[in-house]
Amino acid sequence: QKEVEQNSGPLSVPEGAIASLNCTYSDRGSQSFFWYRQYSGKSPELIMFIYSNGDKEDGRFTAQLNKASQYVSLLIRDSQPSDSATYLCAVYNQGGKLIFGQGTELSVKP
Amino acid sequence: KAGVTQTPRYLIKTRGQQVTLSCSPISGHRSVSWYQQTPGQGLQFLFEYFSETQRNKGNFPGRFSGRQFSNSRSEMNVSTLELGDSALYLCASSLSRAGTGEKLFFGSGTQLSVL
């Protein structure tokens, strides 16, 4: 079992819709969770982080964390074509390493 | 504030050679982590340096090594290059030790091709 798992996609949504990206992790002791966005040919860019159970909102982005289910998600409201990218979920394990999922490719169609 | 700077941007080497990659963290950041990114394996953790000491290491062979200088700049070295070492090597810096919930900020990476 991989430490951090994501659906690879591609996930295709129409412009203006809500995109929902999901991630599960295996280390029950993990405390810190991150979402990075990576455009093709570019490096990962931090867009959200969450440490506590529940929701955290920042503009059009909402991160949701459920530690009991070992599940973290990212919602993108009013999706725009410029949101088309690969979204990487990252989790610190108890060994102190930031482990990345394989990423979910998002495509927002005009 | 300048971001994380990695040099060189592109590198072409042949099997058996060695290579050194450089990373300058964001000013004030004391921790540098290195990752390898390939289409098949995704982002994989190589190692982390803080206060000139390796604090954490991923599952890579001893051919991969690194160091950190007193100004927090870091170098990564790969000896006896293999074809499978072709990848994007990313450096990330954080204010304090990674693993304590610190946010990592990535550089543009060095694209290494081994022929």
Side-chain angles (χ1 to χ4, degrees):
Chain A
Q1 181 190 7
K2 289 187 176 180
E3 288 193 69
V4 180
E5 297 209 55
Q6 299 180 251
N7 291 327
S8 60
L11 173 66
S12 183
V13 300
E15 184 175 355
I18 296 175
S20 178
L21 304 158
N22 305 314
C23 171
T24 58
Y25 59 95
S26 61
D27 189 336
R28 193 165 279 282
S30 295
Q31 298 292 325
S32 308
F33 308 86
F34 305 84
W35 284 98
Y36 285 81
R37 176 177 62 198
Q38 187 172 26
Y39 291 113
S40 181
K42 301 293 186 183
S43 60
E45 172 194 11
L46 179 66
I47 54 172
M48 287 290 285
F49 58 93
I50 186 166
Y51 302 141
S52 304
N53 272 334
D55 294 1
K56 179 182 178 183
E57 187 174 316
D58 184 1
R60 295 187 296 113
F61 299 99
T62 299
Q64 299 175 316
L65 174 61
N66 183 327
K67 289 184 181 178
S69 301
Q70 295 175 241
Y71 177 91
V72 58
S73 65
L74 178 69
L75 301 178
I76 306 174
R77 290 182 300 282
D78 188 24
S79 294
Q80 301 297 309
S82 59
D83 294 327
S84 297
T86 296
Y87 289 80
L88 299 160
C89 173
V91 178
Y92 273 115
N93 64 15
Q94 290 192 80
K97 300 173 187 175
L98 187 62
I99 306 299
F100 285 79
Q102 287 285 95
T104 297
E105 185 184 346
L106 173 66
S107 176
V108 181
K109 304 293 187 186
Chain B
K1 207 181 217 182
V4 179
T5 304
Q6 289 188 248
T7 56
R9 185 70 181 90
Y10 300 95
L11 211 45
I12 299 175
K13 292 286 186 180
T14 56
R15 277 182 300 173
Q17 287 187 309
Q18 75 165 22
V19 67
T20 299
L21 312 181
S22 180
C23 173
S24 293
I26 293 170
S27 178
H29 282 199
R30 297 170 59 199
S31 173
V32 172
S33 298
W34 289 90
Y35 284 82
Q36 181 196 67
Q37 187 174 32
T38 59
Q41 299 297 318
L43 268 160
Q44 292 189 283
F45 174 78
L46 280 156
F47 29 64
E48 181 210 357
Y49 285 88
F50 178 78
S51 291
E52 302 176 63
T53 303
Q54 187 180 91
R55 302 294 180 159
N56 221 332
K57 191 176 188 308
N59 297 323
F60 280 82
R63 300 185 296 107
F64 291 82
S65 63
R67 58 178 176 168
Q68 186 181 34
F69 303 95
S70 58
N71 61 358
S72 295
R73 190 177 71 84
S74 177
E75 287 182 348
M76 189 191 112
N77 184 274
V78 188
S79 62
T80 320
L81 283 166
E82 301 177 359
L83 294 178
D85 296 334
S86 294
L88 179 66
Y89 289 88
L90 290 159
C91 163
S93 76
S94 58
L95 209 52
S96 187
R97 274 206 62 187
T100 55
E102 284 289 330
K103 299 182 280 290
L104 264 55
F105 298 91
F106 284 88
S108 298
T110 294
Q111 184 67 54
L112 172 64
S113 297
V114 182
L115 307 177

